[in-house]
Amino acid sequence: MDPVQTRTVLGQVRRPRREQASDGELGDAVARAQDGDETAFAIAYRMVQPGLLGYLWGLVGDEAEDVASDTWLEIARDLGRFKGDGAGFRGWTAVIARHRALDHLRRRRARPRPGRIEDHVLEMPGVHVTDEQALEALSTEQALELVLGLPSDQAEAVLLRVVVGLDGPAAARVLGKRPGAVRTAAHRGLKRLGRQLGVGREQGRV
Amino acid sequence: MGERPSGHGVPGRAGVHPDGSALETALAAALRGSVLDPAAEQHAVAAFRTAYEARTQRARTRRRYVGRPPAPGRARRPVKTALGVVCASIALGGAAVAAIGSVGPSAEGDSPKSAHPSPVAPDRSAGGTAPASPHSRGPTQQPGTAKDTEAHCRAYEQSGNRGKALEATAWQRLVAAAGGRDKVASYCSERLARATVEPGKQGDQGKQGVGAADSVRGNQQKSAGAAATRPGGTGSASENAGGGGGKAEEKDK
């Protein structure tokens, strides 16, 4: 089990953001899981969980793993009612993850929210090397801090598009907003991140 | 909310620029969970297993207790229905013929024509179905009442030589009465011709020396004969039932 998992994880991590290539495989796994195939469910888990975790890191910080666990309980429970393909499954699981995250944030509202937005604004020293070095050296913590430094709508749009791998309309459905608004937010967020990392200058306007 | 991004007519999908996609790739690589906790996965799979079992269990329970009258319910009912029909036909047939045998003796003194027509003995012979005297045992050649013998003969003609009819006890008696299996046909045709031509005299012939016991035996034979003459009905019903039940079980899986 472990070797398979490792391979899957590495493949997932090194894969570019577009998930369309694996959506067919994911759709098959989901369909088999709906017929009761545990192995297929595990496959779907390994394909979806990395993106969900990244998304949840952005939403709830260190408690992402706990919220992800709750999320998967709900996914397992409601899988029989899901209808759709692999891309649809990504979107559906992101909606569940978001609801669980918001519940989580509501429960601990009194406390400060360490993982979320605004707290880490632009405390990014030393990233101004060269573009490629900056990107290659980008650690999870740095990337998370950068993303969380964005306005929250931009941060979430970027996470859904880039990390979860949703397309614009799917991300808009998760957020309950119009696709145009989400597209704009993602674009602005990415542009700002690129600026901070010293890439994407040729887009003009600073 | 709906502002245009920076007035560039920027393409909808961010990341089409080389640098943009490099940025997205780097972000995805950094932010996607790179190490998955196997325990978390097992937890999720266990939850999946439990949920799936609960779901199938629920579906089964719902089917069993609430039921859906038209489609799945019908799949099981024919078994009972077919069995009920078979039992009822045997029981009713037996009762009817037994009633003939028992009514006969008591009605003898009053009216020889009061015997009820049995389903096996049609109306044309009913007029002549004077019951036999239960006390006078007839010669072995004529073990049954005239009515029974006629009924046997009709059943014999209807069924031909097929089926199990000739193995039944009463058929053995009919064969014995005719004096041999090959003589049954001529014996019967003679009996039936006499019954048809001289219906009124049937009761007077006095050759019948059979009691209720023989009637009951004849009745058993008739039931067997009846079952044998319409195997299509009950047989196909139970086949349908079996098929339906099979389908229902497949659905369960």
Side-chain angles (χ1 to χ4, degrees):
Chain A
M1 211 164 199
D2 274 342
V4 174
Q5 182 186 347
T6 307
R7 210 180 308 136
T8 307
V9 169
L10 288 175
Q12 289 290 328
V13 168
R14 292 299 157 206
R15 188 172 296 168
R17 109 187 147 83
R18 299 261 153 84
E19 302 293 335
Q20 281 82 348
S22 61
D23 277 350
E25 196 186 334
L26 177 58
D28 288 348
V30 170
R32 278 185 288 132
Q34 285 183 310
D35 289 337
D37 186 338
E38 272 181 42
T39 311
F41 183 80
I43 291 171
Y45 175 91
R46 291 171 200 167
M47 295 180 78
V48 169
Q49 170 75 343
L52 280 188
L53 262 187
Y55 179 43
L56 289 171
W57 276 330
L59 292 180
V60 298
D62 290 343
E63 286 152 288
E65 308 251 350
D66 291 343
V67 176
S69 178
D70 290 349
T71 301
W72 279 102
L73 291 187
E74 190 166 336
I75 292 170
R77 194 192 65 200
D78 293 345
L79 186 64
R81 273 178 276 172
F82 170 75
K83 289 189 178 67
D85 55 8
F89 186 72
R90 283 187 204 282
W92 182 66
T93 53
V95 171
I96 294 175
R98 187 168 197 267
H99 288 164
R100 293 286 68 80
L102 295 183
D103 284 351
H104 185 81
L105 293 175
R106 241 174 259 132
R107 273 199 302 271
R108 60 160 209 200
R109 184 174 285 161
R111 288 184 281 153
R113 296 177 291 176
R116 223 177 132 85
I117 328 298
E118 319 294 334
D119 296 339
H120 310 268
V121 195
L122 294 181
E123 300 168 7
M124 289 297 299
V127 200
H128 301 291
V129 216
T130 70
D131 297 358
E132 285 187 4
Q133 283 172 329
L135 290 180
E136 280 176 12
L138 190 64
S139 71
T140 299
E141 289 72 22
Q142 285 172 327
L144 197 56
E145 282 190 30
L146 281 174
V147 171
L148 293 180
L150 298 171
S152 61
D153 64 326
Q154 293 180 17
E156 207 169 349
V158 168
L159 287 169
L160 286 173
R161 293 288 305 275
V162 175
V163 178
V164 180
L166 301 183
D167 63 12
R173 277 194 296 274
V174 173
L175 295 172
K177 293 180 177 175
R178 287 180 297 108
V182 175
R183 219 157 41 212
T184 303
H187 176 79
R188 288 186 169 175
L190 284 170
K191 216 168 77 171
R192 184 162 163 182
L193 291 174
R195 209 160 54 223
Q196 289 169 339
L197 287 167
V199 294
R201 289 183 203 281
E202 81 283 5
Q203 285 186 31
R205 285 281 198 91
V206 154
Chain B
M1 288 279 267
E3 318 120 274
R4 306 278 315 183
S6 311
H8 274 261
V10 176
R13 298 179 70 92
V16 289
H17 314 284
D19 284 336
S21 71
L23 170 64
E24 291 176 28
T25 303
L27 280 174
L31 285 178
R32 291 170 62 88
S34 53
V35 177
L36 295 186
D37 179 6
E41 177 183 319
Q42 281 160 19
H43 194 215
V45 171
F48 164 78
R49 190 185 311 124
T50 308
Y52 184 77
E53 281 166 6
R55 200 156 57 231
T56 52
Q57 186 74 37
R58 219 163 33 231
R60 226 176 284 138
T61 308
R62 203 183 305 131
R63 247 198 311 274
R64 194 183 315 136
Y65 286 109
V66 178
R68 296 185 191 147
R74 187 168 288 170
R76 282 158 201 248
R77 211 175 301 143
V79 182
K80 287 178 187 169
T81 309
L83 277 176
V85 166
V86 170
C87 290
S89 66
I90 291 174
L92 285 176
V97 179
I100 293 166
S102 58
V103 163
S106 69
E108 192 175 18
D110 304 322
S111 160
K113 302 193 175 187
S114 68
H116 300 288
S118 84
V120 195
D123 284 341
R124 57 180 172 154
S125 67
T129 50
S133 157
H135 305 296
S136 63
R137 280 263 162 209
T140 52
Q141 291 96 328
Q142 282 129 6
T145 63
K147 173 177 55 60
D148 282 345
T149 307
E150 286 163 25
H152 294 180
C153 286
R154 286 201 184 86
Y156 169 76
E157 286 182 348
Q158 282 170 12
S159 68
N161 283 321
R162 290 170 288 120
K164 301 172 183 168
L166 288 180
E167 294 168 22
T169 308
W171 280 111
Q172 302 295 342
R173 299 184 68 87
L174 180 62
V175 168
R181 182 167 290 214
D182 48 348
K183 293 178 188 167
V184 168
S186 57
Y187 174 76
C188 277
S189 62
E190 183 205 345
R191 297 287 309 202
L192 288 175
R194 210 186 305 159
T196 311
V197 171
E198 308 175 287
K201 291 187 180 178
Q202 279 283 310
D204 301 333
Q205 299 211 337
K207 295 175 193 171
Q208 327 83 341
V210 192
D214 281 330
S215 295
V216 169
R217 252 179 248 129
N219 155 32
Q220 288 170 346
Q221 170 268 320
K222 278 167 204 154
S223 301
T229 51
R230 44 185 170 92
T234 55
S236 66
S238 53
E239 275 168 25
N240 287 344
K247 276 177 208 153
E249 284 181 11
E250 279 173 23
K251 274 180 200 164
D252 280 353
K253 290 169 192 169

